[in-house]
Amino acid sequence: MAKVDVEKRGEVAVLRLSNSPVNALAHGVREGLQRGVAAAVADPSVKAIVVTGEGRAFSAGADITEFRAGPKPPALGEVIASLEASPKPVVAALNGLALGGGLEVALGCHYRVAAKSVTQLGLPEVKIGILPGAGGTQRLPRIIGLEAALDMIVSGNPITASAAAKSGLVDKIAEGDVVEAAVAFAQELVASGKGARRASEKTIDPATVPAGLFDKKRAALGRHPSGPLAPKNCIAAVEASTDRPFAEGLKRERELFSELAGSPYARALQYAFFAERQAANIPDIGPDVKPREIKSVGILGAGTMGTGIGLAFLNAGIPVTIVETQQAALDKGAQRIRETIESNVRRGRITADEGEARLARLTASLATEDLGTADLIIEAVFENLALKKEIFAKLDAVAKTGAVLATNTSTLDVDAIAAATSRPGDVVGMHFFSPANIMRLLEIVRGAATAKDTLMTAMAVAKRIGKVGVVSGVCFGFIGNRMLEAYLEEVQAMLLEGAAPSDIDGAVEGWGLAMGPNAMMDLAGLDVGHRIRQEHAISEERRRLYRATDAIVGMGRHGQKTGAGYYTYGGDRKRQPDPDIEALIRKEAAAQGIVQRRIAPEEIVERCLLRLVNEGAQILDEGIALRASDIDTIYLNGYGFPAWRGGPMWQAENVTGLREAADKIRAYEKTYGPRWSLAPLLGRLAESSGTFTGAKT
Ligand code: T1G
Ligand code: NAD
């Protein structure tokens, strides 16, 4: 239950926010806080007030689940105003996360004491498409200065207690019990006759505002991960702290907040926040299924993926043994890991000691037998089914009982790989994305025989190494790559119809994706896709559509790794459109009797999106994905889809509308034929005005 507990320690009233797990400022907490402050102020035996939180958080801010319905009074701003107005000193005892409205409560307190190691202070509202709406944009600049406040509010990134102490945001760092330290601090204030210290009473002298500060900040925004709106309003709100009285600044903050609160971008970002957390819930697996303990990891193959995966585990403090066939490949892989860690030390991301510790946890070997003690073994060798089956048969003989055996295959049949062992229940797909030490997504492929605790072990490992684990069933390319195939097929069609690679990439990137499809294929390697098309049965139409690209591969142009693909790449790795490639595509189009035309950016984006959605709906209908929001979480964390667009499924349901989307797909089917045949689920939902979330698969 959301509430505030009150206790007295001598002359100090301690108000403890209590709303597990992160003390979100739900109605009960706001009301409890307001009542607690009023009672403490009215109680003559109370000389000071301390506010703290229950458990691991001070407070993670406003209760996001209340946004849809709209928060009931008292509003958070009012509660904070009553806190700040207290004639008795109020001290925040920051016992952990103080984020968003949680930090704003602390800013309303007159002083702040923070627990050294566990406290994080931040205003992440921009990450969910809004801005600090309870005085944060007005009080923070008054306490730590304009530029530091702008950085915190526009980035949304938290700072540590020690950094906060340096900036003046925190008055004291507590080594021991933070509440005790805050009570002692409050008693010292009372004894020294020091009273309230209100941020709202501080003013910012406009003469001290660096010339052009806000314009420079606006100009430097670029492609902000929260989209075009929220960061701009954040800057405008902080700007209002410099050119009007506090109360007027608060009013301006509210106006700018309201502009954002209902925006589709904010709704998309909040959907993405909960979608990511929802992905962790596997309907048929209860809390009684415990993940296996993973203390050590083995990796087979020290290529692009093996080394990235190795780094992800080393960075998380887990010992890694990496195995290769050849000494040269092993040395190259180990060198790549060493260089990455050393560059992180050079860039100050980690200390030299931490760098050494991570390298000390790495063992390089040429013997698969050395994986005999590993709790988890991840195979990342060439994408060839026969080779992977041979390796899993060997692992079956080498690995200890109870070890989890995972494959990093990006397309192959996990059930066939598992069948090569006598323990298919221990086999699972763990599909990382390149670069595996950076990309947050981990597609976890549940085979027909995968045991529930094997699956939960993979999910727990994902969280432990800072990845977002999303479950997929077994099919060609699982969820992400299967949808990608449909999207890239449509790209091939538009290339032949007259859109240059730069037209398509420009349109899609202009709409928000981190990288256009042609540039992405050049990065991944055109030969990788070519080999997959050679090894797998694909439709005659898909083979026709890829003729131009296969010709480019035939010229030895495999993308960035060969200096040329759809684009040419100079030393700076910047892509340059290549008229020869555009001419090659035109020639192929002519050979296929395709009359080229200009394709408008809107049509390019629409066709890309609808191919993703249509394939996504089919995947949902087949039960390969557990829910539409999982598909969106995959595209946001693995394919550079902007979170402020929610994801392909959310876009179709909340922006285009499923009926409209179905009608458009039917229209494209008339023009282009069966590759556009409407997914039955989409047809049903359009018919019944249903939703993906309400859909019964
Ligand atoms: N409201 C409601 N539920 C929340 C929540 C919040 N603010 N924060 C977390 N939860 C739930 C979450 O959904 C999950 O639920 C559980 O708590 C544990 O979270 C006026 C208006 C705090 C860093 O943006 O970034 O204040 O899945 O799994 O990985 O200016 O949660 O278990 O059912 O994420 O350790 C601003 C959002 C709000 C912070 C913890 N605050 N939260 O991460 O655990 S807007 C935020 C987080 C605001 C004011 C405005 C993270 C976390 P379930 P978790 P975690
Ligand atoms: P890669 O060619 O860079 O590396 C493969 C490595 O496996 C090579 O170093 C090779 O020497 C080694 N190897 C081959 N047989 C071996 C054996 N029997 N024992 C030990 N090592 C052996 O390939 P990659 O890009 O790292 O891909 C590896 C796997 O990951 C493939 O299944 C691929 O589909 C998948 N994958 C790749 C990407 C990507 O973007 N490259 C992304 C996700 C998944």
Side-chain angles (χ1 to χ4, degrees):
M1 193 184 90
K3 57 184 170 59
V4 170
D5 298 323
V6 181
E7 67 171 293
K8 272 197 69 203
R9 297 200 184 179
E11 301 176 316
V12 179
V14 177
L15 309 183
R16 195 182 298 273
L17 314 180
S18 173
N19 183 18
S20 175
V22 293
N23 299 330
L25 301 163
H27 179 251
V29 175
R30 295 194 306 276
E31 218 183 26
L33 191 52
Q34 192 163 51
R35 225 190 359 260
V37 170
V41 167
D43 181 343
S45 70
V46 171
K47 301 288 186 269
I49 303 168
V50 164
V51 181
T52 192
E54 183 67 55
R56 68 179 174 116
F58 177 76
S59 170
D63 186 337
I64 306 172
T65 62
E66 284 187 349
F67 285 10
R68 269 292 171 93
K72 282 195 303 190
L76 183 58
E78 264 175 64
V79 177
I80 294 172
S82 65
L83 198 64
E84 189 183 49
S86 160
K88 302 174 182 179
V90 183
V91 180
L94 304 177
N95 55 300
L97 300 164
L99 303 175
L103 180 56
E104 289 175 300
V105 167
L107 296 174
C109 296
H110 305 144
Y111 304 90
R112 286 155 291 278
V113 175
K116 185 165 184 174
S117 55
V118 292
T119 302
Q120 294 262 321
L121 305 91
L123 293 173
E125 283 86 345
V126 70
K127 294 187 178 188
I128 52 172
I130 54 176
L131 55 77
T137 67
Q138 303 307 303
R139 288 192 175 89
L140 190 65
R142 282 171 164 80
I143 296 170
I144 67 172
L146 282 168
E147 284 162 86
L150 271 173
D151 288 347
M152 279 183 74
I153 292 171
V154 175
S155 72
N157 296 330
I159 62 173
T160 61
S162 2
K166 282 203 195 85
S167 72
L169 181 52
V170 157
D171 300 284
K172 183 177 172 53
I173 296 283
E175 303 289 347
D177 181 296
V178 67
V179 175
E180 264 173 33
V183 168
F185 187 90
Q187 287 163 338
E188 282 160 27
L189 290 171
V190 172
S192 64
K194 268 202 187 145
R197 181 189 66 175
R198 302 183 180 90
S200 61
E201 290 169 359
K202 291 182 75 169
T203 55
I204 296 173
D205 175 1
T208 63
V209 180
L213 171 68
F214 300 106
D215 291 340
K216 283 196 196 111
K217 198 74 186 175
R218 274 183 277 270
L221 277 176
R223 293 166 71 87
H224 191 286
S226 297
L229 215 52
K232 279 209 190 82
N233 280 29
C234 285
I235 296 171
V238 175
E239 193 168 13
S241 72
T242 65
D243 58 11
R244 65 202 76 194
F246 181 79
E248 291 302 310
L250 274 187
K251 209 156 132 272
R252 181 70 182 131
E253 177 189 89
R254 291 295 324 144
E255 287 163 6
L256 291 160
F257 180 93
S258 311
E259 270 178 33
L260 297 175
S263 76
Y265 305 147
R267 284 194 296 115
L269 286 158
Q270 287 153 29
Y271 160 81
F273 175 85
F274 287 113
E276 186 177 313
R277 282 145 187 84
Q278 180 68 347
N281 301 330
I282 318 298
D284 66 327
I285 298 186
D288 57 317
V289 178
K290 300 290 177 229
R292 301 178 196 175
E293 195 180 12
I294 303 296
K295 292 201 294 297
S296 62
V297 170
I299 297 173
L300 265 161
T304 310
M305 296 308 289
T307 50
I309 295 168
L311 278 163
F313 283 96
L314 292 171
N315 295 347
I318 301 169
V320 170
T321 300
I322 197 160
V323 171
E324 259 287 350
T325 47
Q326 315 291 328
Q327 189 63 48
L330 188 63
D331 295 345
K332 191 168 157 223
Q335 184 57 20
R336 190 183 298 161
I337 290 176
R338 174 180 298 281
E339 280 168 3
T340 307
I341 290 176
E342 285 167 355
S343 99
N344 283 338
V345 171
R346 269 196 313 281
R347 292 176 192 192
R349 291 193 187 134
I350 56 174
T351 63
D353 292 351
E354 179 51 26
E356 279 313 310
R358 291 181 187 189
L359 285 168
R361 282 191 284 265
L362 175 66
T363 306
S365 160
L366 292 173
T368 307
E369 290 67 27
D370 288 347
L371 302 179
T373 58
D375 300 312
L376 165 65
I377 301 173
I378 303 175
E379 161 276 314
V381 304
F382 301 132
E383 184 74 344
N384 176 285
L385 187 58
L387 172 62
K388 291 187 191 282
K389 288 166 78 169
E390 182 199 314
I391 283 180
F392 272 73
K394 183 150 187 205
L395 287 177
D396 195 17
V398 166
K400 71 177 187 181
T401 306
V404 169
L405 308 178
T407 170
N408 183 52
T409 177
S410 30
T411 60
L412 298 172
D413 183 345
V414 173
D415 291 329
I417 294 171
T421 73
S422 62
R423 46 175 128 175
D426 298 336
V427 177
V428 66
M430 289 180 76
H431 181 209
F432 289 77
F433 287 72
S434 182
N437 53 318
I438 309 289
M439 295 299 284
R440 290 187 70 226
L441 179 64
L442 182 50
E443 202 174 25
I444 295 173
V445 184
R446 183 178 191 171
T450 301
K452 290 184 176 180
D453 68 332
T454 301
L455 190 71
M456 289 319 284
T457 304
M459 291 296 281
V461 164
K463 186 147 188 164
R464 198 161 148 209
I465 62 175
K467 305 288 183 197
V468 180
V470 182
V471 173
S472 170
V474 174
C475 69
F476 176 77
F478 319 125
I479 297 172
N481 283 348
R482 177 173 158 186
M483 290 169 67
L484 189 72
E485 287 292 325
Y487 162 42
L488 296 180
E489 182 183 61
E490 200 57 27
V491 167
Q492 301 304 312
M494 292 190 280
L495 287 171
L496 291 171
E497 284 173 56
S502 51
D503 296 336
I504 296 175
D505 290 351
V508 166
E509 289 165 9
W511 191 80
L513 267 78
M515 185 181 275
N518 300 290
M520 181 184 64
M521 285 188 275
D522 271 359
L523 179 67
L526 299 182
D527 57 321
V528 176
H530 179 76
R531 193 176 320 120
I532 290 174
R533 287 190 298 280
Q534 302 312 314
E535 283 186 1
H536 286 86
I538 62 173
S539 69
E540 256 329 293
E541 188 191 22
R542 183 167 291 187
R543 205 164 292 290
R544 173 183 65 78
L545 290 171
Y546 269 96
R547 262 197 223 128
T549 295
D550 289 339
I552 295 171
V553 175
M555 296 158 65
R557 296 172 65 119
H558 295 174
Q560 284 198 23
K561 59 186 169 187
T562 57
Y566 290 111
Y567 300 98
T568 53
Y569 296 86
D572 60 2
R573 297 175 74 115
K574 280 215 168 37
R575 66 190 196 210
Q576 298 301 331
D578 186 329
D580 295 344
I581 290 300
E582 291 166 24
L584 179 153
I585 296 170
R586 268 197 305 279
K587 193 158 159 270
E588 177 58 37
Q592 296 188 20
I594 297 171
V595 179
Q596 297 208 319
R597 64 182 172 96
R598 177 184 172 276
I599 305 181
E602 297 73 27
E603 179 186 340
I604 291 172
V605 171
E606 181 176 275
R607 285 168 66 173
C608 292
L609 266 184
L610 289 177
R611 284 300 305 269
L612 284 170
V613 172
N614 201 35
E615 194 67 28
Q618 189 53 32
I619 285 171
L620 195 56
D621 207 9
E622 293 169 14
I624 299 289
L626 290 171
R627 49 186 82 88
S629 61
D630 284 3
I631 296 175
D632 288 333
T633 299
I634 282 177
Y635 264 75
L636 266 54
N637 293 286
Y639 296 85
F641 203 100
W644 54 277
R645 296 280 194 188
M649 308 309 276
W650 188 86
Q651 270 289 316
E653 188 164 292
N654 292 276
V655 179
T656 316
L658 296 185
R659 185 181 294 274
E660 178 81 5
D663 291 347
K664 285 176 184 286
I665 291 170
R666 288 193 189 99
Y668 281 124
E669 185 178 9
K670 285 207 181 73
T671 310
Y672 296 110
R675 75 170 190 269
W676 276 98
S677 59
L678 180 65
L681 173 67
L682 205 44
R684 292 198 301 272
L685 293 175
E687 214 50 53
S688 63
S689 305
T691 64
F692 285 129
T693 33
K696 294 283 166 287
T697 55

